Amino acid sequence: MTRPRLALAGVVLALLAACAPPRPAPQVLRVGSSGDYAPFSIRDETGWDGFDVHMARRFAKDTGRRLELVEFRWPALELDLAANRFDVVMSGVTMRPWRALVGTFTRPVARVGAMVLMRPGIATTLAELDQPDRRIGVNAGGYLERVARRLFRRAEIMPVGDNRQLAGQLRAGAVDALVSDELEVPLFRRVVPDANALGPLTNDRKAYLARDPALAEELDAWLRAREIDGSLAAFRTRTLGPQWSTPHSAAASDLDALLALIELRLAFMPAVALAKEQRGLPTEDAAQEAQVLAGAREQAALLRVAPESVAALFAAMLRAARDIQDAYRAIPARDRPPVETMDLEREARPALAGLSRTIVARAADLAHGRIGSSRPTAAVLADALDASLAPAADRLAIAEAVVALLPAE
């Protein structure tokens, strides 16, 4: 090609490049993270670290998004998510009802329990610790503050604004004990090596909370895939410890996801009981229950899973819900454990409706999968459900309905 033709070709290519539409910028994924909750979210002078920060980076990379980490404070978590400060919270968030009012949870990524860490010689039981002259430190505004206020009705609860200061408060004697969890306690013991621990006292699941249900569903599917390929187990091992190294199969992940959502639905019931009582309504609402069952059957049919099997699961959950509500209302008001106040029609029921749809979706995942040789019994599943939520008979009935969903091999 002669020089004039080369020059002309260059001009043409330049014109074509100038006329081509610009490549769209990658979508931004705004992830809320506290930075003060090791080992899930850590922020210091070196930057961000922690299990959930690793997960956020990997999800953003795998889905072609640009990650933006947004720091939040625990008392403002739900308000910040509702105000659209970020798209999803990834920061060791415990699955709790008041959070399900503002977003949709993914399947859980870890299961831990609350712990109490005490200065030596303070007490050997919770009852000994729950005295008016005792001071209990806890991260302000998070789930563990609610746990502390439920466990300690007489001791002074001292919320601390920065979770990273808790261990120092215990070492300095500013508090007699603190409420933490199984994963934080070993880290706090590096600061207070002679502290004594009680627990675990709860059975909690950590998951991600997205403002948009579609993002929650996308992230949930990604987590399921990472369970299957083993990378999620590798993340857990690296950041949570070698005891978390066991990979989960697709069936195990689907089963855990379903059980977590069932527990979350049952956890709503004390607040629902209080809302009904405040309005002078009875526990049982036949019309509402019929609507829930009809919706479950309809969605099950769309997802090609046996509608009557799904309806049987919901019938068992509804029976458990009535029993939980009756038990709560039978407790004298002065002795009741504190629960969140919810508007029945504007908050609780819409959140429960969204949760029910997700339960059917996870039930369909389980029914369409392969359970293999690790088929659990109803007794095993009943034991896996949080015993503090519902009576044993109700948990067994729910477990039997879940077993009926499992695919035949």
Side-chain angles (χ1 to χ4, degrees):
M1 187 179 292
T2 64
R3 286 184 180 275
R5 288 181 179 177
L6 282 171
L8 179 60
V11 170
V12 171
L13 288 174
L15 289 171
L16 289 174
C19 295
R23 180 176 296 178
Q27 182 181 354
V28 176
L29 177 70
R30 300 171 302 157
V31 172
S33 209
S34 67
D36 70 348
Y37 187 18
F40 292 99
S41 175
I42 306 162
R43 190 180 191 186
D44 56 24
E45 62 278 1
T46 65
W48 287 91
D49 200 0
F51 174 80
D52 284 341
V53 174
H54 284 290
M55 296 298 289
R57 287 172 176 154
R58 174 71 185 274
F59 175 67
K61 179 180 178 182
D62 287 356
T63 58
R65 292 175 165 96
R66 180 171 63 82
L67 178 64
E68 179 183 328
L69 290 167
V70 181
E71 189 171 3
F72 70 82
R73 297 267 63 88
W74 288 101
L77 187 161
E78 293 82 26
L79 290 174
D80 283 348
L81 184 62
N84 197 28
R85 279 198 66 220
F86 34 77
D87 305 306
V88 59
V89 189
M90 302 177 73
S91 191
V93 174
T94 305
M95 299 177 72
R96 300 308 301 163
W98 64 86
R99 289 170 174 161
L101 298 179
V102 296
T104 302
F105 279 108
T106 66
R107 66 188 59 216
V109 295
R111 189 166 186 165
V112 300
M115 302 279 290
V116 173
L117 198 63
M118 304 175 292
R119 291 192 294 115
I122 291 294
T124 58
T125 66
L126 291 179
E128 290 178 8
L129 186 58
D130 191 17
Q131 301 299 324
D133 61 341
R134 297 303 186 195
R135 297 157 300 172
I136 313 297
V138 68
N139 182 35
Y143 162 66
L144 290 174
E145 182 178 345
R146 290 168 169 84
V147 171
R149 295 190 183 280
R150 186 176 75 243
L151 292 176
F152 301 104
R153 309 295 287 275
R154 302 176 67 196
E156 181 183 1
I157 304 299
M158 300 185 65
V160 175
D162 188 332
N163 195 49
R164 291 165 289 201
Q165 298 176 2
L166 273 177
Q169 294 275 314
L170 186 64
R171 182 180 59 188
V175 297
D176 300 301
L178 56 84
V179 177
S180 182
D181 66 38
E182 290 176 271
L183 289 170
E184 267 193 321
V185 160
L187 303 175
F188 286 172
R189 269 195 163 137
R190 296 175 186 174
V191 180
V192 196
D194 57 348
N196 299 319
L198 291 175
L201 306 169
T202 61
N203 192 357
D204 305 319
R205 298 174 189 263
K206 305 291 188 181
Y208 304 137
L209 180 65
R211 188 169 179 268
D212 182 358
L215 176 59
E217 188 69 18
E218 181 186 5
L219 182 50
D220 188 272
W222 180 85
L223 288 170
R224 184 179 189 270
R226 301 293 74 76
E227 289 281 20
I228 294 169
D229 68 20
S231 58
L232 191 47
F235 276 125
R236 290 192 189 103
T237 303
R238 188 191 333 166
T239 53
L240 305 185
Q243 68 272 29
W244 296 84
S245 61
T246 303
H248 294 167
S249 66
S253 181
D254 291 340
L255 183 57
D256 193 43
L258 179 58
L259 295 180
L261 292 168
I262 290 170
E263 288 181 344
L264 182 58
R265 196 180 199 286
L266 296 179
F268 265 88
M269 293 308 123
V272 170
L274 180 60
K276 288 180 178 178
E277 184 180 69
Q278 290 172 339
R279 292 180 53 184
L281 299 174
T283 293
E284 187 168 2
D285 186 336
Q288 177 66 23
E289 291 186 8
Q291 183 177 337
V292 171
L293 290 171
R297 286 192 182 93
E298 181 179 355
Q299 186 184 357
L302 291 173
L303 295 176
R304 295 181 293 108
V305 59
E308 291 311 311
S309 295
V310 172
L313 172 60
F314 274 81
M317 288 191 291
L318 289 170
R319 284 193 298 272
R322 290 195 299 269
D323 289 342
I324 297 168
Q325 292 176 56
D326 285 339
Y328 183 83
R329 294 176 72 162
I331 301 172
R334 65 180 180 278
D335 298 327
R336 289 174 178 172
V339 298
E340 296 297 311
T341 300
M342 297 182 188
D343 184 279
L344 186 64
E345 299 297 338
R346 290 183 298 175
E347 293 181 315
R349 283 181 172 163
L352 286 168
L355 188 54
S356 294
R357 289 190 292 271
T358 310
I359 287 174
V360 177
R362 298 292 80 82
D365 291 340
L366 187 64
H368 293 150
R370 292 182 60 83
I371 201 66
S373 60
S374 57
R375 189 181 187 89
T377 65
V380 168
L381 292 187
D383 287 342
L385 288 168
D386 189 343
S388 70
L389 292 174
D394 287 332
R395 286 184 283 115
L396 181 59
I398 291 170
E400 289 171 344
V402 171
V403 169
L405 285 166
L406 299 175
E409 292 295 327

